[in-house]
Amino acid sequence: HLVAVGGLVVYSTCSMNPVEDEAVVLSCLRGRAEFTLVDVSSKLEGLWWSSGVQDWTVTDSRGATYSSWQEVPQDAAQSEGLLESMFPLGGAEPPHQPLDRCVRLLPHVSHTGGFFVAVLQKTHASDTDLKEARKRKLREEYYARVPQDLPSGDASSAGAASTDVPTTVPMNLSSSEHFVLVPTEIMDHIRRFYGIDESICNEQFCCRASDHRMQSIHMVSAEVSAMMRANPKLRVLAVGTRVLQLHSERNYRWTQEGIDVLWQALDGSRFVSLTEACLRLFLQGTEG
């Protein structure tokens, strides 16, 4: 139900065993009429491939082979861990699924490893989707009526104007391990100091509610930020990349992973260029 109507799900393995390939796809399609297998043959120009198989046998650890679930003795099913979903559809189980739309890349033909690929598309909303949509609407209406727990970040609501940057999270945030958004005034201070590009919004930075001094600041994607702001009652326990670490009073420095993520979004005002001679001094540990 997380896939939007028209969205695609790609299932791929590096196995040639139908139990891990077509059987898994078939199991996913059972009872999910909103999904269909997509024919991607026109998108494989230059590749040697074969179609998915419609029929196969299942072999247990003792070497016994079964063509259908009905052939499997009950004791063997229990001892060998065999499941009905491992087998192709029987005659009493319509509808037929076009497993030939699956793609098999054979190692001896393509001079590669063996790969299996199946592309499924959601063609319409399911009953579960409609039910979740109704729940989501009710939640949104509820949260619209309930006062928000999180700080608004509006500097005008902070009382008298001040040039000081607060170093603690407002105490109305309960002490726990979930993440909350970093107040706007703090992010504005960091943004001005490092010259963070406007393409990165303040709402993408968060910290743990229990971290009152905000010693570690994490960054999340715009999509995750939007989800957190739309669901203020949601308690997120692990999220994003730790990008900033409190170094001293009101001063933050980048973590290594933070630089890796954000260096292209900085205006360069805090960059230091080194000559080759300076770099040699640093590497040799030579004073001078």
Side-chain angles (χ1 to χ4, degrees), residues 23-151:
V24 175
V25 173
L26 199 55
S27 180
C28 290
L29 292 173
R30 283 188 176 108
R32 292 183 176 88
E34 68 272 21
F35 280 95
T36 184
L37 273 167
V38 180
D39 183 358
V40 294
S41 57
S42 62
K43 302 182 182 299
L44 301 175
E45 185 177 352
L47 278 178
W48 292 89
W49 56 278
S50 64
S51 301
V53 297
Q54 295 278 6
D55 195 30
W56 60 88
T57 59
V58 177
T59 304
D60 64 21
S61 62
R62 298 171 298 184
T65 301
Y66 308 100
S67 299
S68 67
W69 172 246
Q70 290 72 24
E71 295 179 8
V72 182
Q74 186 174 358
D75 61 331
Q78 295 176 349
S79 63
E80 295 294 317
L82 300 181
L83 303 172
E84 185 175 5
S85 60
M86 296 178 175
F87 292 85
L89 289 173
E93 249 191 294
H96 168 78
Q97 297 291 347
L99 293 177
D100 56 338
R101 294 180 180 177
C102 299
V103 173
R104 288 174 160 264
L105 300 176
L106 306 177
H108 66 287
V109 175
S110 304
H111 305 292
T112 65
F115 291 97
F116 171 87
V117 182
V119 180
L120 295 87
Q121 184 172 40
K122 191 170 189 175
T123 58
H124 60 274
S126 66
D127 291 340
T128 302
D129 295 327
L130 299 175
K131 186 182 297 183
E132 287 298 318
R134 288 194 293 269
K135 287 181 180 179
R136 188 162 52 249
K137 183 178 180 180
L138 289 173
R139 282 198 299 270
E140 291 171 354
E141 292 174 351
Y142 171 77
Y143 289 138
R145 298 193 303 268
V146 176
Q148 303 301 307
D149 286 358
L150 300 181

Side-chain angles (χ1 to χ4, degrees), residues 164-180:
D164 293 335
V165 176
T167 57
T168 60
V169 177
M171 292 308 294
N172 64 333
L173 297 177
S174 60
S175 210
S176 68
E177 290 304 305
H178 66 276
F179 279 85
V180 295

Side-chain angles (χ1 to χ4, degrees), residues 212-232:
H212 297 306
R213 296 187 63 233
M214 284 184 295
Q215 297 185 77
S216 296
I217 293 179
H218 292 232
M219 180 183 171
V220 300
S221 67
E223 292 76 12
V224 171
S225 171
M227 179 192 70
M228 293 174 66
R229 286 180 283 122
N231 299 276

Side-chain angles (χ1 to χ4, degrees), residues 180-195:
V180 295
L181 302 182
V182 176
T184 300
E185 58 268 25
I186 295 176
M187 280 313 306
D188 283 345
H189 172 71
I190 295 173
R191 179 183 295 277
R192 288 192 300 268
F193 184 82
Y194 283 113

Side-chain angles (χ1 to χ4, degrees), residues 198-218:
E198 292 299 326
S199 63
I200 307 297
C201 63
N202 287 353
E203 290 78 11
Q204 289 181 242
F205 296 90
C206 56
C207 64
R208 292 196 183 277
S210 59
D211 184 9
H212 297 306
R213 296 187 63 233
M214 284 184 295
Q215 297 185 77
S216 296
I217 293 179
H218 292 232

